[in-house]
């Protein structure tokens, strides 16, 4: 069973993850609900002064940084959370690729708060498979956090929709079939 109001994030803490925006948005959400907690699973960011920002925002009691964890430890840490953040900044790098963690988030059947930048997030509709907020906007993230907890029943339906989306689109049979089609097309191009 998840811990109420424990928001999780897992990642490499690279610049593209925008953890400074996540911390600022989380800090803006705290005055309306000081019981919120944020669990950051992964290494400490090095592209900004994490400790200084934690001090400035007075987040010591509400933010847990686990550091890097083993593959076996991650499921338990994620399943403790009742909500996840899928944040990206608006850099060109963020527009490409597909984050594996998004499938992991959806598989846990919990609401996902997602920045609405270009790239993978365009595959999802706001308040359908995810609760979206404006990229690079801490106030918008704070609003999304508040909306999630003020609308728990609707948030649980969104979580179910995200789970169903992942099951339909990320299943090994589906991805394997797409991969096989690509291989066959490449083979035709080589022969033809």
């Amino acid at each position: 069973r998840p811990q109420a109001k424990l928001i999780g994030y897992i990642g490499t803490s690279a610049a593209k993850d925008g953890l400074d925006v996540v911390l600022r948005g989380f800090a803006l959400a705290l005055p309306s609900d000081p019981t919120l907690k944020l669990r950051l699973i992964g290494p400490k960011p090095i592209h900004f002064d994490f400790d200084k920002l934690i001090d400035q925002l007075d987040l010591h009691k509400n933010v847990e940084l686990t550091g890097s964890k083993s593959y076996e430890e991650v499921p338990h840490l994620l399943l403790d959370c009742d909500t996840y953040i899928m944040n990206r900044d608006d850099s060109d790098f963020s527009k490409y690729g597909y984050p594996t963690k998004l499938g992991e988030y959806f598989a846990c059947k919990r609401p996902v708060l997602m920045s609405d930048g270009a790239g993978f997030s365009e595959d999802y509709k706001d308040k359908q498979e995810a609760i979206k907020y404006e990229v690079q906007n801490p106030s918008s993230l704070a609003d999304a956090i508040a909306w999630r907890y003020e609308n728990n029943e609707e948030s649980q339906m969104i979580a179910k929709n995200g789970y169903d989306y992942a099951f339909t689109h990320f299943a090994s049979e589906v991805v394997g079939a797409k991969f096989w089609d690509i291989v066959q097309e490449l083979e035709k191009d080589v022969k033809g």
Side-chain angles (χ1 to χ4, degrees):
R1 304 199 85 164
Q3 294 178 33
K5 299 186 180 181
L6 176 59
I7 302 170
Y9 171 86
I10 187 168
T12 61
S13 305
K16 68 174 172 38
D17 297 322
L19 287 184
D20 54 330
V21 172
V22 170
L23 291 171
R24 292 178 192 285
F26 181 73
L28 290 172
L30 276 176
S32 60
D33 190 347
T35 66
L36 291 170
K37 301 280 186 206
L38 177 64
R39 174 179 286 169
L40 302 174
I41 306 165
K44 184 185 285 190
I46 57 171
H47 64 282
F48 69 93
D49 191 336
F50 179 83
D51 295 323
K52 182 178 179 182
L53 188 56
I54 292 288
D55 285 340
Q56 287 175 344
L57 299 173
D58 192 26
L59 294 176
H60 293 284
K61 294 179 184 174
N62 299 82
V63 174
E64 171 195 359
L65 178 65
T66 69
S68 296
K69 292 296 180 181
S70 71
Y71 181 78
E72 292 78 22
E73 294 172 288
V74 169
H76 173 71
L77 291 168
L78 282 177
L79 288 170
D80 280 348
C81 303
D82 74 349
T83 304
Y84 304 114
I85 294 180
M86 183 63 243
N87 191 67
R88 286 288 190 264
D89 67 9
D90 61 359
S91 67
D92 284 341
F93 185 75
S94 295
K95 296 174 186 173
Y96 302 99
Y98 217 93
T100 303
K101 67 181 157 198
L102 184 56
E104 294 168 344
Y105 286 175
F106 284 152
C108 292
K109 209 183 259 190
R110 310 273 199 271
V112 175
L113 308 173
M114 180 185 294
S115 59
D116 69 354
F120 70 87
S121 71
E122 295 169 322
D123 291 347
Y124 307 97
K125 295 182 189 80
D126 183 33
K127 311 280 189 315
Q128 184 65 40
E129 297 91 11
I131 301 163
K132 294 176 104 177
Y133 58 93
E134 186 179 328
V135 67
Q136 299 278 119
N137 185 336
S139 295
S140 183
L141 172 56
D143 291 343
I145 292 170
W147 188 94
R148 182 269 180 258
Y149 290 109
E150 290 166 0
N151 300 279
N152 191 52
E153 191 172 311
E154 199 167 347
S155 293
Q156 296 311 316
M157 284 304 302
I158 292 167
K160 183 187 178 316
N161 292 342
Y163 175 85
D164 291 344
Y165 184 97
F167 189 79
T168 303
H169 292 84
F170 303 155
S172 60
E173 299 81 15
V174 173
V175 175
K178 287 179 184 177
F179 180 72
W180 182 246
D181 289 344
I182 291 169
V183 168
Q184 288 180 319
E185 287 299 315
L186 290 172
E187 187 177 25
K188 285 180 192 174
D189 290 344
V190 170
K191 289 180 179 180

